[in-house]
């Protein structure tokens, strides 16, 4: 699976993207979402904005979900049509709103009345009409890590359900605002379809409530959140998109002609990416042995930030297994990728892969300790 020989002369650490798997994933998304009328999938650019990866995704006709002006520019650069871009975020700056207006993006996902007023004002100034969807906080919990659940009333995201009608009615009076829909997102790395079902039920209730006030909604955006198997990337390389889209088809009551939008990030790119690192030292501690690698939390922060476990593979050794703590070189005790895992006996120079790192890996890298940012390569770069 990995062109290990060709990795030898590359400076480590780096990200490696298997484009065959990426393409297979995109084909599955198109096949499964294409079974339903009016389903539109946007790729959540925040998961991975490597230009080569973005370009491939845009070729499969997905729209883009952006959360900053930088992401809007990156998406357009990679070939996503501006008319397929939705723009979310609790704190959009004026220049970002102006950029969205100028590019005539599909929709601003608006998270507060305060923001709505500014979008209207800037739209008036630029002589444009802003299409908006309101991000409603559905108060639906997701069974995932506390740092990546977003749909509870206590979170900073979205507009409270009880304020929904007031905001929509206010927007309908604004000359340069066109209300197109509702937006939701309950969290990330969700594997229990019951969580998405709970969201569907809540949306059904809200739609009924709006209809009783004669408010009609053109489109519904249910956000992203579909998780991947970090334990078994080889057994489940492509997430279960069939079950995912089916859950919405079964439980969400769409009205005639209504569009349903999705914003998938992790499920699109996680499994195609690995962080490739080189083993520097096997250090014998008092009670354990450490495999010290040249990648650290600056290159992949998920284990330190969310206690995430990425499967670790020694690509260079087939020897009997030993137990290691795999750690990076950063001056922080949280710079640990895994504790007490079994790996084929490790040696200085071995190439190690941290799997399922295509989402929220390269893009979250930092220059802490003045370390250079890791580069990203796709399989074609090694041909
Ligand atoms: N839509 C909205 C409004 C979002 O906030 C997010 C992710 C997505 C879509 C895409 O969600 P996905 O399909 O990727 O689950 N850095 C964390 C994940 C943060 C997710 C933030 N929002 C991690 O590494 O697990």
């Amino acid at each position: 699976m990995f062109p290990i020989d060709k990795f030898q002369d590359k400076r480590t650490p780096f990200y490696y993207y298997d484009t065959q798997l990426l393409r297979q994933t995109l084909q599955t998304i198109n096949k499964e979402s294409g079974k339903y009328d009016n389903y539109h999938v946007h790729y959540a650019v925040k998961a991975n904005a490597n230009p080569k990866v973005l370009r491939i995704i845009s070729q499969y006709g997905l729209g883009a979900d952006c959360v900053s002006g930088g992401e809007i520019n990156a998406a357009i650069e990679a070939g996503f049509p501006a008319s397929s871009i939705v723009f979310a975020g609790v704190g959009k700056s004026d220049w970002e709103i102006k950029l969205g207006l100028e590019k005539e993006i599909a929709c601003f996902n608006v998270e507060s009345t305060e923001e709505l007023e500014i979008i209207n004002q800037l739209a008036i100034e630029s002589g444009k009409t802003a299409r908006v969807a309101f991000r409603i906080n559905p108060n639906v919990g997701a069974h995932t890590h506390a740092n990546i659940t977003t749909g509870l009333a206590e979170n900073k995201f979205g507009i409270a359900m009880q304020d929904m009608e007031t905001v929509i009615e206010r927007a309908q009076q604004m000359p340069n605002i066109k209300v197109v829909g509702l937006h939701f997102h309950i969290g990330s790395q969700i594997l229990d379809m019951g969580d998405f079902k709970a969201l569907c039920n809540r949306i059904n209730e809200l739609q009924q409530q709006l209809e009783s006030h004669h408010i009609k909604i053109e489109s519904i955006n249910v956000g992203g959140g579909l998780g991947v198997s970090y334990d078994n990337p080889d057994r489940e390389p492509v997430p279960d998109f069939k079950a995912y889209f089916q859950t919405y088809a079964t439980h969400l009551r769409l009205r005639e002609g209504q569009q349903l939008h999705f914003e998938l990030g992790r499920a699109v790119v996680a499994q195609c990416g690995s962080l490739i690192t080189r083993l520097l030292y096997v250090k014998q501690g008092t009670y354990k042995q450490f495999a010290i690698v040249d990648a650290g939390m600056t290159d992949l922060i998920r284990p330190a930030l969310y206690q995430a476990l990425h499967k670790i593979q020694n690509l260079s050794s087939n020897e009997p297994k030993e137990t290691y703590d795999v750690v990076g070189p950063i001056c922080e005790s949280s710079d640990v990728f895994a504790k007490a895992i079994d790996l084929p006996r490790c040696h200085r120079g071995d190439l190690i892969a941290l799997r399922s790192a295509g989402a929220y890996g390269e893009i979250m890298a930092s220059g802490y300790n003045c370390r250079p940012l890791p580069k990203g390569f796709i399989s074609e770069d090694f041909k």
Side-chain angles (χ1 to χ4, degrees):
M1 177 197 172
F2 294 105
I4 302 168
D5 294 348
K6 300 199 169 130
F7 284 175
Q8 294 301 345
D9 52 358
K10 280 266 183 273
R11 174 178 170 158
T12 46
F14 62 85
Y15 278 87
Y16 172 75
Y17 301 107
D18 174 350
T19 54
Q20 197 187 333
L21 178 56
L22 175 60
R23 289 176 193 281
Q24 191 190 335
T25 307
L26 290 161
Q27 277 160 10
T28 311
I29 292 174
N30 283 343
K31 175 172 164 240
E32 296 303 333
S33 65
K35 288 180 180 167
Y36 309 99
D37 286 345
N38 309 337
Y39 279 26
H40 305 275
V41 180
H42 302 256
Y43 166 63
V45 174
K46 65 172 82 63
N48 187 321
N50 179 293
K52 290 175 186 169
V53 171
L54 274 188
R55 166 83 43 196
I56 294 174
I57 299 171
S58 79
Q59 286 163 354
Y60 282 76
L62 275 71
D65 159 35
C66 299
V67 289
S68 71
E71 285 190 0
I72 294 177
N73 284 328
I76 291 175
E77 184 95 345
F80 289 90
S83 60
S84 78
I85 294 178
V86 295
F87 179 23
V90 284
K92 301 180 187 73
S93 301
D94 292 17
W95 74 268
E96 296 177 309
I97 296 172
K98 285 182 196 161
L99 178 68
L101 288 167
E102 180 207 322
K103 300 286 180 195
E104 303 189 339
I105 59 168
C107 191
F108 290 86
N109 291 334
V110 173
E111 307 221 11
S112 65
T113 10
E114 292 80 359
E115 180 194 335
L116 176 68
E117 300 287 345
I118 299 300
I119 295 180
N120 183 45
Q121 192 186 313
L122 294 175
I124 292 171
E125 283 167 21
S126 58
K128 303 266 187 188
T129 299
R131 295 164 52 82
V132 306
F134 291 104
R135 177 163 178 182
I136 308 298
N137 188 326
N139 200 18
V140 170
H143 299 92
T144 185
H145 191 275
N147 287 8
I148 51 176
T149 182
T150 48
L152 286 171
E154 69 201 40
N155 294 129
K156 70 179 174 184
F157 302 100
I159 294 167
M161 283 182 290
Q162 64 270 21
D163 300 331
M164 175 180 73
E165 283 145 35
T166 324
V167 180
I168 296 179
E169 278 158 8
R170 169 88 187 99
Q172 284 172 333
Q173 294 156 5
M174 292 180 166
N176 292 51
I177 296 287
K178 174 159 170 42
V179 180
V180 296
L182 298 180
H183 175 229
F184 305 86
H185 175 74
I186 54 172
S188 198
Q189 183 52 16
I190 298 170
L191 291 166
D192 180 351
M193 293 299 138
D195 292 339
F196 297 119
K197 180 180 164 193
L199 174 63
C200 291
N201 292 338
R202 180 51 52 77
I203 298 175
N204 291 339
E205 287 165 23
L206 293 176
Q207 280 233 81
Q208 259 184 340
Q209 196 179 318
L210 290 176
E211 279 166 355
S212 68
H213 286 78
H214 309 286
I215 297 174
K216 271 192 70 183
I217 293 299
E218 247 176 62
S219 81
I220 293 176
N221 180 335
V222 290
L226 177 63
V228 302
S229 168
Y230 283 97
D231 299 335
N232 266 308
D234 292 318
R235 205 188 307 151
E236 296 173 60
V238 179
D240 194 351
F241 293 108
K242 183 173 181 186
Y244 177 70
F245 291 117
Q246 223 163 37
T247 301
Y248 283 97
T250 311
H251 299 286
L252 185 63
R253 290 203 297 277
L254 284 185
R255 307 300 189 251
E256 188 69 29
Q258 219 166 34
Q259 311 284 314
L260 184 60
H261 295 258
F262 300 86
E263 301 171 342
L264 292 170
R266 188 188 314 267
V268 184
V269 289
Q271 298 295 33
C272 75
S274 297
L275 176 61
I276 308 296
T277 174
R278 206 177 284 278
L279 199 139
L280 294 172
Y281 307 103
V282 176
K283 171 174 169 176
Q284 300 301 329
T286 315
Y287 302 109
K288 38 169 97 178
Q289 51 181 356
F290 297 96
I292 304 175
V293 296
D294 64 4
M297 62 192 286
T298 49
D299 307 293
L300 178 64
I301 201 175
R302 302 194 68 258
L305 200 55
Y306 316 113
Q307 293 72 52
L309 286 174
H310 288 260
K311 197 172 166 197
I312 300 179
Q313 239 175 297
N314 185 337
L315 305 178
S316 309
S317 166
N318 286 320
E319 293 176 38
K321 290 191 170 170
E322 292 188 14
T323 305
Y324 301 92
D325 278 15
V326 180
V327 302
I330 313 297
C331 309
E332 298 272 346
S333 356
S334 54
D335 187 31
V336 174
F337 289 123
K339 288 193 172 159
I341 59 157
D342 291 342
L343 288 176
R345 187 178 301 133
C346 291
H347 312 272
R348 175 172 169 82
D350 285 355
L351 284 171
I352 308 286
L354 286 111
R355 304 287 307 278
S356 314
Y360 308 108
E362 186 182 352
I363 194 71
M364 288 181 82
S366 79
Y368 182 44
N369 286 185
C370 291
R371 285 165 60 84
L373 291 176
K375 289 210 167 95
F377 299 102
I378 58 173
S379 3
E380 283 82 347
D381 293 330
F382 294 93
K383 290 264 155 69

